[in-house]
């Protein structure tokens, strides 16, 4: 099972960070269930669902340098020769070069999706890529990341089709098991069809390269439990940029929310559980994580086991496997939230979007603000040694223990 780590005690460290907040917020309708990626200085967010359960097919664009927002909408009139994605939530998105790629998601009109679309950010044109054999089954709340010139897709929540090789557990229609924005729809035929299905979490890892999907094999005896609503990040080594490490953190599996960290080494074709020191991020779904620099992962937020949202910032040093919680020196900081986005643009870490206030199956608060961190601060510093106790203090503690009393 998950939720394993080497130690749970918070490690003293000298990392200090200060959050800043944009003066202006996102001017468009706030959404949850969007998916995001970065190209150049811009963060792209696609899809999502509003507080009144209206799904979106718009593309929101935030420029980190100019701090300006823009959006691309389906052309008026719905011209038949214009490709545009269906409105959806819970899709997976990443980017290669000037192209962003969107896979799957959930449509209230059409159900779970397995399409792959690309958006040319230079020409501002959507294209549907051909459906190929070996592609992932329809699913939402999977994650996708680009590294080594390839796209990597992991996990998700999906209708059970046939007998997948991964472990699956039949499930009623729920989101990560708890969010109900997926469980809303006015189309009776779609709802009846969905209610007749059984559902499963997935622990499949796919690679998309040169127009073809490949399901990755696992030469290890262990693997992440099937899950969705997890966080994912990828890294490469300077010596071999085609050798990719795929990291998966937390999410929801058949047993509940998890906090375990797994790594898939594409060169070895193996999954391994990463045992870490320090205070691990709490078990959560809808958290987000990003790789920064050559050896650090940065995670924030999520929804915990008690349905409360989290607001801690965590930094993992991959060389030492030490989880650290930086000291926040600013009064400003992002609120507790989930379904948000953690992105890196040049040397700026950005947190934006998200929702909170979960009650009766819904989140009541949708966030518009944008928060920034200096990425160099996250790379600077690490675990520091505790000061050694003086002989006098050690002697007093030994004497107190001998007498059966431990003073404080």
């Amino acid at each position: 099972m998950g939720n394993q780590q080497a130690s749970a005690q918070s490690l003293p460290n000298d990392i200090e960070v200060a959050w800043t907040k944009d003066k202006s917020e996102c001017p468009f309708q706030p959404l949850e269930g969007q998916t995001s990626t970065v190209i150049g200085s811009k963060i792209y967010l696609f899809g999502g669902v509003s507080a009144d359960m209206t799904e979106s097919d718009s593309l929101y664009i935030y420029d980190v340098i100019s701090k300006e927002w823009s959006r691309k909408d389906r052309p008026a009139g719905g011209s038949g020769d214009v490709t545009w994605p269906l409105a959806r939530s819970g899709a997976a998105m990443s980017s290669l070069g000037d192209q962003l790629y969107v896979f799957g998601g959930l449509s209230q009109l059409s159900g779970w999706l397995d399409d792959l679309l690309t958006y040319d950010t230079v020409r501002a044109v959507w294209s549907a890529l051909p459906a190929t054999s070996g592609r992932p089954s329809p699913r939402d709340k999977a994650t996708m990341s680009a590294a080594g010139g390839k796209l990597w897709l992991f996990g998700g929540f999906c209708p059970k089709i046939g007998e997948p090789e991964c472990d699956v557990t039949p499930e009623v229609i729920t989101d990560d098991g708890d969010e109900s924005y997926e469980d809303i729809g006015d189309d009776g035929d779609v709802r009846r069809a969905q209610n007749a299905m059984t559902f499963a979490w997935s622990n499949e890892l796919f690679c998309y390269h040169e127009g073809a999907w490949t399901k990755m094999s696992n030469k290890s005896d262990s693997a992440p439990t099937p899950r969705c609503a997890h966080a994912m990040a990828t890294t490469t080594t300077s010596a071999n940029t085609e050798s990719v490490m795929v990291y998966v953190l937390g999410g929801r599996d058949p047993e509940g929310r998890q906090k375990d960290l797994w790594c898939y080494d594409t060169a070895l074709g193996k999954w391994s559980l990463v045992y870490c020191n320090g205070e691990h991020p709490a078990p959560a779904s809808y958290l987000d994580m990003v790789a920064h620099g050559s050896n650090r992962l940065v995670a924030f937020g999520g929804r915990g086991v008690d349905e409360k949202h989290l607001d801690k910032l965590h930094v993992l040093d991959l060389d030492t496997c030490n989880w650290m919680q930086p000291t926040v020196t600013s009064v400003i900081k992002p609120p507790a939230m989930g379904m948000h986005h953690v992105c890196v643009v040049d040397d700026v870490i950005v947190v934006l979007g998200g929702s909170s206030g979960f009650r009766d199956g819904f989140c009541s608060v949708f966030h518009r603000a944008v928060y920034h961190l200096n990425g160099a601060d996250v790379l600077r510093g690490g675990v520091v040694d505790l000061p050694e106790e003086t002989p006098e203090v050690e002697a007093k503690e030994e004497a107190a223990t001998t007498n059966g009393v431990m003073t404080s």
Side-chain angles (χ1 to χ4, degrees):
M1 288 302 299
N3 295 345
Q4 301 181 47
Q5 61 191 82
S7 65
Q9 185 178 5
S10 179
L11 298 175
N13 66 86
D14 57 1
I15 303 176
E16 294 186 348
V17 299
W19 290 98
T20 59
K21 179 182 176 182
D22 279 6
K23 293 181 179 179
S24 59
E25 299 181 336
C26 175
F28 311 125
Q29 184 178 42
L31 304 166
E32 66 177 3
Q34 289 176 296
T35 183
S36 65
T37 193
V38 173
I39 298 179
S41 65
K42 298 177 180 179
I43 299 174
Y44 294 79
L45 303 102
F46 173 74
V49 64
S50 64
D52 64 0
M53 294 300 169
T54 300
E55 287 181 324
S56 172
D57 60 6
S58 295
L59 185 67
Y60 291 6
I61 307 169
Y62 172 72
D63 191 309
V64 175
I65 295 177
S66 67
K67 295 182 171 53
E68 294 179 347
W69 286 90
S70 60
R71 63 185 285 178
K72 301 290 184 181
D73 296 315
R74 181 186 294 272
S79 175
D81 60 351
V82 175
T83 298
W84 200 271
L86 287 173
R88 67 190 71 192
S89 60
M93 184 163 73
S94 192
S95 60
L96 290 171
D98 294 326
Q99 307 283 324
L100 63 81
Y101 294 80
V102 173
F103 175 82
L106 176 67
S107 163
Q108 292 175 4
L109 180 64
S110 302
W112 277 263
L113 304 169
D114 65 352
D115 53 347
L116 180 64
L117 301 107
T118 182
Y119 181 78
D120 187 319
T121 59
V122 177
R123 298 169 53 232
V125 174
W126 282 102
S127 300
L129 298 179
T132 59
S133 61
R135 70 183 182 276
S137 62
R139 64 190 65 201
D140 73 327
K141 289 178 297 305
T143 49
M144 187 159 63
S145 182
K150 303 174 182 178
L151 298 174
W152 304 90
L153 180 87
F154 176 79
F157 188 72
C158 51
K160 186 177 179 182
I161 301 175
E163 295 297 331
E165 294 179 6
C166 63
D167 294 331
V168 295
T169 300
E171 183 65 33
V172 297
I173 299 177
T174 54
D175 177 28
D176 77 338
D178 49 17
E179 185 84 72
S180 60
Y181 74 80
E182 295 185 346
D183 202 20
I184 302 297
D186 297 326
D187 190 306
D189 292 337
V190 171
R191 295 303 302 154
R192 282 190 290 273
Q194 291 175 349
N195 283 331
M197 296 178 182
T198 55
F199 296 82
W201 288 271
S202 168
N203 64 354
E204 299 162 306
L205 177 65
F206 291 89
C207 175
Y208 183 79
H209 182 55
E210 296 182 345
W213 286 102
T214 302
K215 182 179 175 180
M216 306 303 293
S217 61
N218 180 26
K219 299 177 183 178
S220 171
D221 294 332
S222 60
T225 54
R227 64 188 65 197
C228 67
H230 49 276
M232 176 182 179
T234 50
T235 65
T236 57
T237 64
S238 56
N240 182 5
T241 57
E242 294 185 0
S243 178
V244 177
M245 310 295 278
V246 179
Y247 292 93
V248 172
L249 173 65
R252 176 72 176 251
D253 72 5
E255 298 298 324
R257 294 188 177 100
Q258 303 296 333
K259 65 178 180 180
D260 47 350
L261 177 68
W262 289 84
C263 177
Y264 183 85
D265 186 326
T266 64
L268 299 177
K270 290 183 177 182
W271 281 106
S272 59
L273 179 61
V274 183
Y275 286 88
C276 300
N277 304 302
E279 181 186 344
H280 207 283
S285 56
Y286 299 123
L287 68 167
D288 202 8
M289 177 174 69
V290 68
H292 186 44
S294 61
N295 68 337
R296 295 208 166 170
L297 302 179
V298 181
F300 177 80
R303 190 191 304 159
V305 294
D306 56 359
E307 308 298 349
K308 292 183 179 178
H309 286 85
L310 309 173
D311 65 354
K312 270 195 176 182
L313 178 69
H314 303 269
V315 176
L316 177 66
D317 187 304
L318 294 172
D319 294 334
T320 61
C321 289
N322 289 329
W323 277 110
M324 299 168 286
Q325 290 68 48
T327 298
V328 177
T329 61
S330 58
V331 175
I332 294 172
K333 68 174 185 176
M337 64 173 77
M339 288 194 178
H340 53 286
H341 311 274
V342 181
C343 305
V344 173
V345 177
D346 292 329
D347 201 26
V348 179
I349 296 174
V350 183
V351 172
L352 70 168
S355 58
S356 60
F358 184 80
R359 184 179 179 183
D360 298 330
F362 299 91
C363 284
S364 59
V365 180
F366 286 38
H367 299 282
R368 297 174 180 264
V370 182
Y371 298 86
H372 302 255
L373 274 184
N374 182 353
D377 292 340
V378 172
L379 301 178
R380 187 182 300 120
V383 171
V384 296
D385 293 332
L386 290 170
E388 294 184 2
E389 293 182 329
T390 63
E392 292 80 7
V393 171
E394 292 177 348
K396 289 180 180 179
E397 290 183 349
E398 183 178 354
T401 302
T402 302
N403 294 330
V405 178
M406 191 65 191
T407 58
S408 59

